[in-house]
Amino acid sequence: MFADFEALEIDTGKARIFARRAGSGPGLLLLHGFPQTHLMWRDVAPSLARDFTVVCADLRGYGQSSCPPSAADHAPYAKRAMAADLVVLMEMLGFERFMVAGHDRGGRVAYRLALDHPDRVEKLAVLDIIPTADAWDRADARLALGYWPWSLLAQPEPLPETMLAAAADSVVDNALSGWGSAPEVFSPGIRQAYVDALRDPVHIHAICEEYRAAASLDREHDQADREAGRRIACPVLALWSEHGALAEWYVQEGGPSALWRNWADDVSSGALPGGHFFPEESPIETAATLDAFFSGR
């Protein structure tokens, strides 16, 4: 995995961000979700590195990145703060402007990055998400039962921290097998890496703070943007899993593509084979689709 990628640790002033970099050409930042780390891009990034300088980063609080102290309002783990890390990361790697793709939690950081720093982001790809405020506005029993981290990990400490620490194996197994993806997609080594990333108490607390921020500040930031008429200025590619929740839950609204068009004028979209973790299930299709979008071919 990542045999030709350089390992980096960049101090952004607010956090230390671990990343891997390879390739040449325009900058392309890849962001992971929960319960993953940058390892989720292991079969996608090498292909993209033929055309781009690919940077796979661990979000603050995840993987090998640091866990800055939080605050009562969870602001250090709002997507706004996490996005600011990545602006500094890419600038320090030589990219004033770059492209970004994010899956799951990383997708939420990615679109916040595009909203807060429109001068930095040339193109944006969001994988298997709708905007956070839209998800909460439409939350129902399906979300509460199907994607339990949204509500469970947002509970006040120490309940979710204690549960994660006691059952990291079960948490990872439930996510990897219960969100529409085939469990055999994840090798024992990858599964163990995700489990290990959830065993450190400091990282566990940071991840819970990120979910608490999503239930509070992130919603407020989205709502403020909607009320102010702020929109994503760059082209957007919205992808979702062919066999996942987004393909079914938002039919009445016109599907996820219609929801993203409420936030951006230039939106292309489509479904890819697999469940929620389709970048790991269908890496060839994911890489080809991302490459076509970011290269303009």
Side-chain angles (χ1 to χ4, degrees):
M1 292 184 296
F2 295 103
D4 298 322
F5 280 68
E6 175 189 9
L8 306 165
E9 188 174 76
I10 303 295
D11 188 343
T12 69
K14 297 292 181 67
R16 287 178 293 101
I17 301 299
F18 178 85
R20 296 189 186 273
R21 174 181 61 182
S24 59
L28 173 56
L29 176 64
L30 302 180
L31 303 175
H32 64 87
F34 173 89
Q36 302 145 297
T37 68
H38 74 279
L39 291 175
M40 69 159 285
W41 299 109
R42 63 195 177 276
D43 295 324
V44 173
S47 177
L48 293 172
R50 293 196 289 262
D51 294 320
F52 306 97
T53 300
V54 175
V55 178
C56 303
D58 283 342
L59 300 170
R60 74 158 61 181
Y62 283 83
Q64 298 179 63
S65 289
S66 71
C67 304
S70 194
D73 64 355
H74 321 299
Y77 288 92
K79 305 305 175 293
R80 175 158 289 163
M82 299 172 88
D85 287 338
L86 301 169
V87 169
V88 177
L89 169 73
M90 294 302 283
E91 184 174 314
M92 293 182 74
L93 295 179
F95 297 102
E96 292 284 337
R97 287 177 57 79
F98 52 92
M99 296 167 282
V100 57
H103 174 258
D104 188 76
R105 314 309 288 177
R108 303 186 186 286
V109 176
Y111 84 79
R112 174 49 53 193
L113 203 163
L115 282 166
D116 286 358
H117 306 277
D119 56 326
R120 301 286 187 155
V121 181
E122 295 182 3
K123 290 184 178 182
L124 165 69
V126 286
L127 280 59
D128 221 39
I129 67 163
I130 62 170
T132 302
D134 289 328
W136 277 113
D137 290 348
R138 293 161 175 79
D140 55 17
R142 295 174 302 183
L143 182 70
L145 295 173
Y147 290 97
W148 49 266
W150 281 69
S151 53
L152 176 59
L153 301 189
Q155 296 300 310
E157 63 176 309
L159 175 64
E161 283 90 343
T162 302
M163 296 177 72
L164 280 184
D169 288 81
S170 296
V171 167
V172 169
D173 285 346
N174 180 277
L176 299 188
S177 64
W179 295 344
S181 295
E184 57 268 22
V185 166
F186 309 96
S187 70
I190 288 296
R191 176 195 170 280
Q192 191 60 50
Y194 292 160
V195 170
D196 291 344
L198 279 181
R199 282 196 163 136
D200 173 52
V202 177
H203 280 82
I204 289 172
H205 177 62
I207 290 168
C208 292
E209 284 293 283
E210 186 260 298
Y211 273 88
R212 292 176 185 122
S216 54
L217 274 182
D218 291 345
R219 297 173 69 183
E220 294 171 15
H221 294 159
D222 279 7
Q223 185 60 34
D225 285 338
R226 283 196 300 205
E227 292 174 357
R230 279 188 289 272
R231 296 171 66 77
I232 298 170
C234 66
V236 176
L237 173 65
L239 298 174
W240 58 89
S241 58
E242 189 174 61
H243 305 302
L246 267 66
E248 301 175 2
W249 289 1
Y250 305 108
V251 173
Q252 187 173 351
E253 291 89 342
S257 57
L259 292 171
W260 280 109
R261 288 191 180 97
N262 292 331
W263 289 83
D265 295 326
D266 186 350
V267 178
S268 52
S269 61
L272 288 183
H276 177 62
F277 300 104
F278 64 82
E280 293 179 85
E281 276 187 278
S282 304
I284 295 174
E285 294 89 338
T286 301
T289 303
L290 292 177
D291 186 83
F293 171 68
F294 287 124
S295 66
R297 287 195 289 267

